[in-house]
Amino acid sequence: MAVSTMDSESARTPQPQAALTKGGRSLLPVGALSAKLGPQGKHYVCGSVAAFTNIMVTFPIQKLLFRQQLHGVLATEAVRQLQRDGLRNLYRGLLPPLLQKSTTVAIMFGLYQDFSRVLLEQARGSGLPELATRSFAAALAGTAEAILTPFERVQTLLQDHRHHGRFNNTAHTFRTLLTQHGVSECYRGLVPILLRNGPSNVLFFGLRGPIKEQLPEASSRAGHMVNDFVCGGLLGAALGIMFYPLNVVKSRAQSQVGGAFQPCRQVLLTVWRERGCSVAMLFRGAHLNYHRSLLSWGIINATYELLLKLI
């Protein structure tokens, strides 16, 4: 039986006060927002707001990491590239990840809950382990996220300085891809995204509970936030390293505009040869990715859990 479910975590977490108050007046009436969203809808909203918060904080780090993934340069050179681009270009390409991440994390948490509920009802009495059922639900949720691949595609093009003169903004990039190359061009890099999303979701939801149980027991809301941050951060960082080569392949594939779609394996081999068949070069930028993922998923997990309690 899986111990990493949202319900099991909520059961271990003290419930919030009946309402947030200021000067004796309620700021958040008991259950008001939760009733409007429904028992499952709140997971989508909490996931979306958590991702929005994370992107606003970590976007410059992500942009630095992208340059290392794409060009295989040291962090210092990636920083110099951003400095040459100027401050006005630092948040260039923000809108696609803001829309994409806010939606995908909402889908990740919300669909995981929905798929888990449906599959557990179907599997009741069948003898199928709950862990297997929830793992399948997590994989389905991760696969569903891939429908938003076009946002990652546009983000890649806007962050690549070689395309600064070709694409003006998010809307212009979408319009150019669709009119000149068709819908399929928006889904370039889909395969590595699918290979990344499903397995990483299974591991994230499967290990969240066990990792949190190993942390010192919290007795306050701040303590629970710290534990949720540590739990989410450690998982995100570990998964970021594990699936880093797939992100390198995705970045390389999506930096191309037009032309034949190369198989994922072929793109990986090309990058491997270009970087001297060196594992260290293939993982260049992984240390920055580790720290970015630690911060990002710590923020997402802690914010998500806090919002669930508040709503």
Side-chain angles (χ1 to χ4, degrees):
M1 184 178 191
V3 294
S4 60
T5 69
M6 305 297 178
D7 294 336
S8 64
E9 290 203 5
S10 297
R12 294 195 301 272
T13 303
Q15 297 302 305
Q17 297 174 353
L20 295 179
T21 60
K22 184 177 181 180
R25 298 177 61 187
S26 175
L27 294 178
L28 186 63
V30 182
L33 186 54
S34 183
K36 290 181 180 179
L37 295 174
Q40 301 303 321
K42 63 181 181 179
H43 294 285
Y44 291 92
V45 173
C46 292
S48 182
V49 175
F52 182 94
T53 303
N54 161 62
I55 288 296
M56 294 302 298
V57 173
T58 64
F59 183 77
I61 303 175
Q62 171 58 34
K63 196 162 190 177
L64 191 67
L65 173 64
F66 168 77
R67 294 293 176 87
Q68 290 193 272
Q69 289 177 340
L70 185 60
H71 303 300
V73 298
L74 293 172
T76 51
E77 173 57 27
V79 170
R80 282 195 289 268
Q81 286 185 10
L82 295 183
Q83 288 175 335
R84 287 195 294 269
D85 290 345
L87 187 60
R88 66 185 297 270
N89 284 317
L90 181 60
Y91 274 84
R92 176 183 165 87
L94 172 67
L95 186 58
L98 202 60
L99 296 174
Q100 182 260 345
K101 200 67 177 178
S102 297
T103 308
T104 55
V105 174
I107 290 173
M108 173 183 170
F109 284 107
L111 283 186
Y112 171 72
Q113 290 295 324
D114 287 341
F115 283 140
S116 293
R117 186 181 70 257
V118 172
L119 292 175
L120 286 172
E121 289 176 357
Q122 296 296 321
R124 186 174 293 126
S126 66
L128 188 67
E130 183 179 347
L131 176 61
T133 304
R134 291 193 178 276
S135 294
F136 187 50
L140 286 176
T143 301
E145 293 174 43
I147 196 173
L148 297 171
T149 293
F151 287 109
E152 288 196 51
R153 173 78 167 113
V154 171
Q155 176 189 356
T156 297
L157 294 175
L158 289 176
Q159 287 185 343
D160 189 346
H161 65 91
R162 296 173 301 181
H163 295 297
H164 280 184
R166 184 173 183 180
F167 302 110
N168 300 328
N169 50 45
T170 300
H172 179 254
T173 307
F174 269 122
R175 187 166 59 251
T176 302
L177 292 178
L178 289 171
T179 56
Q180 296 184 5
H181 303 282
V183 175
S184 60
E185 186 68 28
C186 294
Y187 281 88
R188 191 182 288 269
L190 175 63
V191 173
I193 288 175
L194 286 171
L195 293 174
R196 176 197 68 190
N197 284 8
S200 63
N201 264 21
V202 171
L203 293 171
F204 182 82
F205 286 112
L207 295 175
R208 254 184 8 135
I211 289 177
K212 187 172 181 179
E213 287 181 338
Q214 299 306 310
L215 298 175
E217 186 174 355
S219 57
S220 65
R221 178 171 293 167
H224 280 289
M225 282 193 67
V226 171
N227 281 357
D228 289 327
F229 181 91
V230 171
C231 173
L234 289 177
L235 262 176
L239 294 176
I241 294 294
M242 186 181 302
F243 294 98
Y244 190 79
L246 285 174
N247 281 324
V248 172
V249 171
K250 177 194 75 74
S251 295
R252 172 59 67 90
Q254 291 187 334
S255 66
Q256 178 184 342
V257 180
F261 279 60
Q262 295 182 324
C264 184
R265 180 174 177 274
Q266 184 178 338
V267 177
L268 179 59
L269 285 175
T270 299
V271 175
W272 173 255
R273 294 190 185 105
E274 287 179 356
R275 301 188 183 183
C277 301
S278 167
V279 173
M281 289 291 289
L282 182 63
F283 276 83
R284 174 154 284 179
H287 68 289
L288 181 60
N289 184 68
Y290 177 89
H291 292 98
R292 181 197 64 84
S293 296
L294 186 70
L295 178 61
S296 293
W297 283 101
I299 292 173
I300 289 174
N301 199 49
T303 305
Y304 172 80
E305 292 293 340
L306 176 64
L307 290 172
L308 272 185
K309 296 179 181 70
L310 295 179
I311 292 179

XYZ file of all heavy atoms in Angstrom, residues 156-200:
364
model
N 12.158 27.364 -25.581
C 13.498 27.044 -26.062
C 13.951 28.031 -27.133
O 15.079 28.541 -27.095
C 13.533 25.614 -26.638
O 13.231 24.679 -25.601
C 14.905 25.288 -27.212
N 13.078 28.305 -28.086
C 13.439 29.211 -29.179
C 13.673 30.641 -28.685
O 14.579 31.334 -29.147
C 12.346 29.202 -30.246
C 12.181 27.876 -31.002
C 10.985 27.927 -31.944
C 13.453 27.537 -31.773
N 12.868 31.093 -27.729
C 13.011 32.456 -27.217
C 14.241 32.606 -26.331
O 14.808 33.700 -26.217
C 11.752 32.866 -26.451
C 10.498 33.106 -27.305
C 9.294 33.399 -26.416
C 10.720 34.258 -28.286
N 14.672 31.523 -25.705
C 15.849 31.586 -24.836
C 17.145 31.435 -25.629
O 18.211 31.831 -25.152
C 15.777 30.489 -23.767
C 14.743 30.757 -22.688
C 14.785 29.715 -21.588
O 15.348 28.646 -21.749
N 14.165 30.023 -20.464
N 17.072 30.865 -26.820
C 18.259 30.659 -27.643
C 18.630 31.972 -28.339
O 17.888 32.472 -29.186
C 17.972 29.567 -28.683
C 19.223 29.147 -29.445
O 20.239 29.863 -29.360
O 19.166 28.114 -30.128
N 19.803 32.532 -27.991
C 20.189 33.839 -28.522
C 20.329 33.834 -30.041
O 20.253 34.888 -30.684
C 21.499 34.301 -27.875
C 22.686 33.448 -28.216
N 23.491 33.698 -29.286
C 23.182 32.322 -27.625
C 24.454 32.792 -29.349
N 24.282 31.942 -28.353
N 20.502 32.662 -30.634
C 20.626 32.575 -32.095
C 19.317 32.896 -32.807
O 19.307 33.161 -34.008
C 21.097 31.175 -32.484
C 22.502 30.827 -31.974
C 22.854 29.385 -32.238
N 21.903 28.473 -31.589
C 21.992 27.139 -31.645
N 22.978 26.576 -32.337
N 21.098 26.390 -31.043
N 18.214 32.863 -32.047
C 16.903 33.143 -32.647
C 16.331 34.494 -32.212
O 15.174 34.784 -32.480
C 15.909 32.032 -32.287
C 16.268 30.692 -32.857
N 16.331 30.444 -34.201
C 16.587 29.520 -32.247
C 16.674 29.174 -34.410
N 16.840 28.602 -33.235
N 17.146 35.309 -31.514
C 16.636 36.594 -31.017
C 16.141 37.491 -32.148
O 15.165 38.227 -31.994
C 17.719 37.317 -30.214
C 17.836 36.802 -28.813
N 18.688 37.358 -27.879
C 17.217 35.770 -28.187
C 18.582 36.699 -26.738
N 17.709 35.726 -26.904
N 16.815 37.447 -33.289
C 16.400 38.300 -34.393
C 15.256 37.730 -35.219
O 14.686 38.429 -36.058
N 14.930 36.467 -34.979
C 13.905 35.796 -35.783
C 12.537 35.790 -35.125
O 11.511 35.916 -35.797
C 14.351 34.367 -36.071
C 13.402 33.604 -36.990
C 13.988 32.260 -37.366
N 13.126 31.552 -38.308
C 13.399 30.353 -38.807
N 14.519 29.738 -38.454
N 12.566 29.774 -39.652
N 12.532 35.640 -33.801
C 11.262 35.556 -33.076
C 11.169 36.715 -32.081
O 12.068 36.916 -31.267
C 11.141 34.220 -32.335
C 11.234 33.025 -33.250
C 12.343 32.187 -33.219
C 10.215 32.724 -34.139
C 12.433 31.085 -34.055
C 10.288 31.628 -34.981
C 11.414 30.804 -34.947
N 10.046 37.434 -32.141
C 9.887 38.626 -31.300
C 9.377 38.319 -29.906
O 9.869 38.852 -28.918
C 8.934 39.616 -31.979
C 9.445 40.073 -33.336
O 10.660 40.162 -33.536
N 8.540 40.355 -34.255
N 8.357 37.483 -29.834
C 7.726 37.171 -28.549
C 6.978 35.846 -28.673
O 7.066 35.172 -29.710
C 6.768 38.298 -28.120
C 5.811 38.679 -29.240
O 5.232 37.810 -29.899
N 5.636 39.973 -29.465
N 6.249 35.506 -27.627
C 5.557 34.209 -27.607
C 4.555 34.076 -28.745
O 4.555 33.079 -29.483
C 4.833 34.026 -26.258
O 5.798 34.063 -25.198
C 4.091 32.691 -26.215
N 3.697 35.078 -28.905
C 2.657 35.010 -29.937
C 3.269 34.944 -31.333
O 2.815 34.165 -32.190
C 1.730 36.219 -29.822
N 4.310 35.749 -31.564
C 4.964 35.757 -32.869
C 5.623 34.418 -33.171
O 5.591 33.923 -34.308
C 6.010 36.869 -32.921
C 6.749 36.943 -34.221
N 8.059 36.511 -34.353
C 6.358 37.371 -35.455
C 8.444 36.680 -35.610
N 7.435 37.207 -36.295
N 6.215 33.802 -32.151
C 6.869 32.511 -32.345
C 5.853 31.434 -32.689
O 6.058 30.643 -33.625
C 7.651 32.106 -31.075
O 8.539 33.163 -30.705
C 8.449 30.835 -31.316
N 4.753 31.386 -31.948
C 3.694 30.416 -32.253
C 3.171 30.626 -33.669
O 2.999 29.670 -34.433
C 2.544 30.559 -31.246
C 2.674 29.689 -30.034
C 2.694 30.246 -28.764
C 2.761 28.310 -30.148
C 2.812 29.449 -27.631
C 2.875 27.504 -29.025
C 2.900 28.071 -27.765
N 2.914 31.871 -34.010
C 2.351 32.177 -35.327
C 3.314 31.765 -36.453
O 2.894 31.189 -37.464
C 2.028 33.669 -35.415
C 1.274 34.056 -36.684
C 0.691 35.465 -36.572
N 1.706 36.476 -36.335
C 1.864 37.124 -35.179
N 1.062 36.868 -34.151
N 2.806 38.053 -35.036
N 4.594 32.027 -36.254
C 5.591 31.678 -37.262
C 5.690 30.168 -37.442
O 5.736 29.657 -38.575
C 6.972 32.242 -36.877
O 6.879 33.666 -36.732
C 8.011 31.911 -37.935
N 5.744 29.441 -36.326
C 5.849 27.977 -36.404
C 4.635 27.374 -37.101
O 4.764 26.481 -37.950
C 5.997 27.380 -35.000
C 7.297 27.678 -34.241
C 7.251 27.045 -32.861
C 8.510 27.172 -35.013
N 3.451 27.871 -36.741
C 2.222 27.299 -37.302
C 2.062 27.615 -38.781
O 1.693 26.749 -39.580
C 1.016 27.813 -36.517
C 0.866 27.273 -35.091
C -0.233 28.008 -34.343
C 0.566 25.774 -35.110
N 2.342 28.856 -39.154
C 2.120 29.255 -40.550
C 3.199 28.720 -41.487
O 2.915 28.366 -42.633
C 2.044 30.786 -40.678
O 3.245 31.364 -40.137
C 0.845 31.338 -39.935
N 4.435 28.647 -41.009
C 5.537 28.232 -41.872
C 5.828 26.739 -41.836
O 6.354 26.184 -42.804
C 6.809 29.007 -41.508
C 6.711 30.508 -41.754
C 8.020 31.226 -41.470
O 9.046 30.609 -41.179
N 7.990 32.554 -41.539
N 5.486 26.088 -40.714
C 5.871 24.686 -40.573
C 4.729 23.754 -40.142
O 4.886 22.535 -40.211
C 7.018 24.559 -39.563
C 8.215 25.383 -39.920
N 9.123 25.007 -40.893
C 8.644 26.589 -39.443
C 10.071 25.930 -40.997
N 9.812 26.899 -40.126
N 3.642 24.284 -39.634
C 2.531 23.437 -39.228
C 2.558 23.058 -37.756
O 3.534 23.322 -37.034
N 1.498 22.403 -37.328
C 1.340 22.039 -35.904
C 2.443 21.103 -35.444
O 2.924 21.192 -34.311
C -0.039 21.383 -35.677
C -0.164 20.897 -34.235
C -1.164 22.363 -35.999
N 2.851 20.183 -36.304
C 3.848 19.186 -35.890
C 5.146 19.839 -35.417
O 5.821 19.303 -34.524
C 4.144 18.229 -37.043
O 4.659 18.929 -38.164
N 5.499 21.002 -35.977
C 6.724 21.681 -35.581
C 6.669 22.123 -34.118
O 7.707 22.203 -33.442
C 6.971 22.894 -36.483
C 8.303 23.591 -36.256
C 9.505 22.755 -36.671
O 9.347 21.907 -37.591
O 10.590 22.936 -36.097
N 5.475 22.393 -33.636
C 5.306 22.802 -32.233
C 5.571 21.643 -31.277
O 5.790 21.857 -30.082
C 3.897 23.342 -32.001
S 3.540 24.886 -32.874
N 5.535 20.417 -31.800
C 5.731 19.239 -30.958
C 7.096 18.590 -31.171
O 7.294 17.430 -30.804
C 4.601 18.229 -31.193
C 3.337 18.601 -30.461
C 2.400 19.440 -31.043
C 3.107 18.158 -29.159
C 1.247 19.813 -30.361
C 1.967 18.520 -28.470
C 1.039 19.348 -29.077
O -0.105 19.721 -28.381
N 8.016 19.343 -31.739
C 9.390 18.832 -31.856
C 9.955 18.642 -30.447
O 9.840 19.518 -29.596
C 10.261 19.820 -32.646
C 11.620 19.254 -33.037
C 12.440 20.307 -33.769
N 11.958 20.570 -35.109
C 12.372 19.933 -36.207
N 13.274 18.973 -36.088
N 11.893 20.262 -37.385
N 10.568 17.505 -30.197
C 11.090 17.213 -28.862
C 10.092 16.500 -27.976
O 10.318 16.351 -26.768
N 8.997 16.020 -28.548
C 7.947 15.368 -27.751
C 8.432 14.072 -27.105
O 8.100 13.786 -25.950
C 6.733 15.080 -28.638
C 5.571 14.295 -27.990
C 4.970 15.077 -26.829
C 4.501 13.959 -29.035
N 9.209 13.274 -27.835
C 9.626 11.959 -27.326
C 10.428 12.057 -26.028
O 10.101 11.375 -25.045
C 10.407 11.177 -28.403
C 10.988 9.883 -27.810
C 9.490 10.833 -29.575
N 11.496 12.884 -25.953
C 12.205 12.972 -24.670
C 11.325 13.513 -23.542
O 11.524 13.148 -22.377
C 13.372 13.923 -24.970
C 13.031 14.613 -26.241
C 12.182 13.663 -27.010
N 10.354 14.347 -23.881
C 9.443 14.847 -22.847
C 8.580 13.715 -22.303
O 8.371 13.592 -21.086
C 8.571 15.991 -23.413
C 9.420 17.247 -23.615
C 7.399 16.304 -22.480
C 8.698 18.395 -24.288
N 8.076 12.853 -23.193
C 7.282 11.704 -22.754
C 8.123 10.742 -21.920
O 7.659 10.220 -20.898
C 6.711 10.972 -23.971
C 5.544 11.646 -24.694
C 5.234 10.913 -25.994
C 4.303 11.685 -23.805
N 9.353 10.505 -22.357
C 10.244 9.599 -21.620
C 10.598 10.153 -20.247
O 10.890 9.404 -19.315
C 11.522 9.356 -22.420
C 11.361 8.566 -23.726
C 12.683 8.518 -24.480
C 10.851 7.160 -23.449
N 10.568 11.467 -20.118
C 10.891 12.119 -18.847
C 9.694 12.199 -17.913
O 9.794 11.873 -16.719
C 11.416 13.528 -19.140
C 11.710 14.391 -17.918
C 11.814 15.861 -18.330
N 10.530 16.402 -18.758
C 10.384 17.596 -19.338
N 11.440 18.344 -19.607
N 9.182 18.036 -19.665
N 8.549 12.620 -18.431
C 7.405 12.959 -17.578
C 6.810 11.777 -16.826
O 6.578 11.861 -15.617
C 6.313 13.624 -18.413
C 6.623 15.065 -18.756
O 7.728 15.544 -18.496
N 5.679 15.752 -19.353
N 6.519 10.686 -17.543
C 5.869 9.552 -16.900
C 6.673 8.967 -15.759
O 6.217 8.925 -14.607
N 7.920 8.511 -16.027
C 8.727 7.925 -14.951
C 9.022 8.888 -13.803
O 9.025 8.486 -12.641
C 10.024 7.524 -15.679
C 9.614 7.327 -17.094
C 8.559 8.364 -17.344
N 9.272 10.163 -14.126
C 9.590 11.111 -13.046
C 8.380 11.333 -12.144
O 8.526 11.486 -10.921
C 10.085 12.439 -13.621
O 9.080 13.067 -14.395
